[in-house]
Amino acid sequence: MSSNTLPLLPADYRPSEDEEYMNPLMRAFFRHKLLQWRAELLRESSETLNSLHEDGGLQEPDIADRATLETDRALELRTRDRERKLISKIDSALQRIHDGEYGYCEETGEPIGVRRLEARPIATMSLEAQERHERMERTHRDD
């Protein structure tokens, strides 16, 4: 079975540290998880666009109401921008699944680990490599 042909996922399947790492079932699990997350973000984004469109121009006659609405809208747009970047990371993770590279640290090539991927399915580094990377960023930022 090639890396882009994944098996049907049983409803009760949960990946475990005891099974072969990134076997086809495990890849299917993470692919499904990523696709669900992506669909949820896209749905929320669509709802935001509809809401902004329905609100039209800021028609609140009261200046305080208008300021509140503008602040809410700016916050919503910032949130959507973060989610847009997240969708891009999800797409990259889906591509890594397709390419057979998902679940392995981009720095060391070591397995990222099931628990870390369940918590953060878009992770590209093992916890150790990520911590090293963040320490280096802090060190260079302080210079």
Side-chain angles (χ1 to χ4, degrees):
M1 184 178 327
S2 75
S3 63
N4 55 3
T5 307
L6 298 174
L8 200 56
L9 192 62
D12 61 346
Y13 174 77
R14 308 259 357 127
S16 105
E17 302 282 352
D18 300 333
E19 63 187 302
E20 178 193 342
Y21 190 68
M22 284 303 134
N23 66 65
L25 206 52
M26 192 178 288
R27 288 196 315 272
F29 171 83
F30 285 111
R31 181 176 183 277
H32 179 74
K33 185 175 181 110
L34 288 160
L35 288 171
Q36 279 188 313
W37 191 12
R38 186 180 195 282
E40 181 183 322
L41 290 170
L42 288 172
R43 187 179 61 255
E44 289 172 4
S45 178
S46 178
E47 289 169 5
T48 298
L49 289 175
N50 289 338
S51 170
L52 290 174
H53 185 69
E54 288 168 6
D55 290 345
L58 300 170
Q59 302 299 323
E60 292 293 334
D62 180 70
I63 191 115
D65 290 344
R66 193 168 351 157
T68 299
L69 192 56
E70 285 176 6
T71 302
D72 290 350
R73 184 175 282 189
L75 180 62
E76 189 71 31
L77 289 172
R78 264 198 316 274
T79 299
R80 292 300 157 237
D81 187 51
R82 266 196 307 276
E83 289 176 349
R84 181 185 53 78
K85 291 173 184 168
L86 193 51
I87 288 170
S88 174
K89 289 180 179 183
I90 291 170
D91 288 343
S92 294
L94 289 167
Q95 185 61 49
R96 287 193 307 278
I97 289 173
H98 181 271
D99 296 342
E101 299 168 1
Y102 182 80
Y104 296 93
C105 179
E106 65 183 14
E107 221 175 72
T108 65
E110 295 292 315
I112 291 173
V114 172
R115 287 194 4 228
R116 176 158 166 76
L117 288 171
E118 277 200 280
R120 186 152 180 83
I122 57 173
T124 59
M125 289 189 244
S126 66
L127 193 53
E128 296 78 19
Q130 182 70 41
E131 287 171 348
R132 230 183 356 262
H133 179 75
E134 289 171 3
R135 272 195 307 276
M136 290 296 289
E137 278 184 343
R138 277 195 302 274
T139 303
H140 293 299
R141 188 179 58 220
D142 293 342
D143 290 348

